[in-house]
């Protein structure tokens, strides 16, 4: 998937800050040298630095090339301390694209967003512990599997385990508070949510939110379609927030 125009613009501006000689090597490092027109034009005129970068990148540069270019520029121009504004902007833009910047052992790297970027990190361990403490051991196990899948970047498995976490939680709550009797061997998440709604256990708007989340959870995952890290991140984060909220609402 291509990166955003904003990410491309930030990297392009920093690349144009190199001199003509250094820019040649920089573009070759990112496998963009074949499109580089060089400094000199026929007839004695010359290409400026911005034009060289733009022509080398072309209309739709690959994520791989931009990541290689960005990584090289970071390692050439940023020491990891007193982060300048352009690095902060690049970090923010890459994060929106699903990538994160890391500085370890004196070197910069750019890779897919990882578990440390999941919103509300303390709630991850807190929710797993709370599920176990309240008797939702099966949901806690699925939740741990979802988190493990996210960390190894197995997005489909993360989505599937997140859905199982949510289903197990609402089925158990509906059994305890709404007299719900699930059919053995059937996925009963939707029926459990409806039973809770019929028993008046949702405040206005909450039922629609949960039904929407439940419907969305049946796309991708173990179903047809291709998951992305952004989809998995959203679903896992949404499930974490919702279950934390309702677990405290529906205390035994």
């Amino acid at each position: 998937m291509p990166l955003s125009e904003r990410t491309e613009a930030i990297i392009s501006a920093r690349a144009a800050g190199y001199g003509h000689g250094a820019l040649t090597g920089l573009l070759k490092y990112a496998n963009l040298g074949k499109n580089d027109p060089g400094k000199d034009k026929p007839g004695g005129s010359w290409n400026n630095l911005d034009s060289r970068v733009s022509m080398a990148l072309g209309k739709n540069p690959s994520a791989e090339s931009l990541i290689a270019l960005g990584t090289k520029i970071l390692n050439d121009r940023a020491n990891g301390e007193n982060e300048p504004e352009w690095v902060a902007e690049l970090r923010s833009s890459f994060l929106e694209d699903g990538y994160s910047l890391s500085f370890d052992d004196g070197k910069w790297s750019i890779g897919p967003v990882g578990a440390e970027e999941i919103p509300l990190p303390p709630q991850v361990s807190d929710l797993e512990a709370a599920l176990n403490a309240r008797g939702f051991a099966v949901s806690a196990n699925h939740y741990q599997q979802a988190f493990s899948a996210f960390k190894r970047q197995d997005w489909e498995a993360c989505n599937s385990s997140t859905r199982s976490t949510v289903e197990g939680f609402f089925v158990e709550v509906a059994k305890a508070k709404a007299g719900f009797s699930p059919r053995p061997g059937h996925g009963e998440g939707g029926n459990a949510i409806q039973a809770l709604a019929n028993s008046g256990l949702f405040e206005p708007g909450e039922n629609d939110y949960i039904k929407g989340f439940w419907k969305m959870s049946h796309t991708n995952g173990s179903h047809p379609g291709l998951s992305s890290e952004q989809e998995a991140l959203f679903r896992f984060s949404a499930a974490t927030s919702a279950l934390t909220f309702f677990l405290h609402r529906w205390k035994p």
Side-chain angles (χ1 to χ4, degrees):
M1 184 174 66
L3 300 180
S4 65
E5 291 183 349
R6 179 174 178 235
T7 298
E8 180 184 344
I10 296 169
I11 292 173
S12 296
R14 304 315 301 182
Y18 284 64
H20 280 287
L23 181 60
T24 299
L26 177 68
L27 294 173
K28 287 182 176 180
Y29 179 87
N31 289 321
L32 294 168
K34 62 183 180 297
N35 298 323
D36 176 18
K39 176 183 177 182
D40 299 319
K41 287 182 178 180
S45 60
W46 52 281
N47 293 301
N48 62 34
L49 292 163
D50 289 315
S51 295
R52 286 185 62 188
V53 173
S54 178
M55 294 175 72
L57 287 172
K59 289 186 177 180
N60 296 297
S62 68
E64 181 181 12
S65 293
L66 285 172
I67 288 171
L69 200 59
T71 302
K72 176 65 172 167
I73 293 170
L74 284 165
N75 281 306
D76 285 349
R77 300 296 174 89
N79 61 13
E81 299 177 1
N82 300 319
E83 189 169 285
E85 183 177 351
W86 70 268
V87 174
E89 291 178 350
L90 187 61
R91 183 189 299 281
S92 174
S93 189
F94 261 120
L95 190 57
E96 291 178 5
D97 291 335
Y99 293 86
S100 60
L101 307 187
S102 300
F103 185 77
D104 296 304
D105 298 324
K107 289 288 185 180
W108 286 96
S109 62
I110 301 172
V113 65
E116 66 273 13
E117 278 79 38
I118 295 178
L120 312 176
Q123 279 83 338
V124 174
S125 57
D126 289 350
L127 177 57
E128 184 179 354
L131 286 169
N132 278 311
R134 302 279 179 83
F136 297 97
V138 174
S139 289
N141 182 56
H142 286 305
Y143 186 69
Q144 191 277 329
Q145 291 174 1
F147 186 59
S148 295
F150 190 93
K151 289 191 291 184
R152 66 175 183 271
Q153 299 176 21
D154 188 345
W155 316 123
E156 289 84 359
C158 179
N159 289 341
S160 179
S161 293
T162 298
R163 182 174 63 249
S164 296
T165 302
V166 173
E167 179 174 35
F169 174 78
F170 284 115
V171 166
E172 290 302 315
V173 173
K175 286 166 59 179
K177 294 188 174 292
F180 179 65
S181 298
R183 296 170 297 167
H186 291 76
E188 291 281 56
N191 290 333
I193 292 168
Q194 188 59 51
L196 291 168
N198 292 342
S199 297
L201 291 169
F202 288 119
E203 295 293 332
E206 293 175 353
N207 185 33
D208 290 338
Y209 174 82
I210 294 300
K211 286 197 300 184
F213 179 81
W214 181 244
K215 182 178 180 180
M216 184 193 70
S217 74
H218 282 75
T219 59
N220 298 329
S222 59
H223 294 261
L226 179 64
S227 297
S228 72
E229 60 267 34
Q230 290 291 356
E231 289 175 330
L233 177 63
F234 171 77
R235 296 180 193 200
F236 184 82
S237 301
T240 298
S241 297
L243 265 61
T244 298
F245 175 78
F246 286 114
L247 188 65
H248 288 85
R249 161 83 71 77
W250 296 324
K251 293 181 178 180

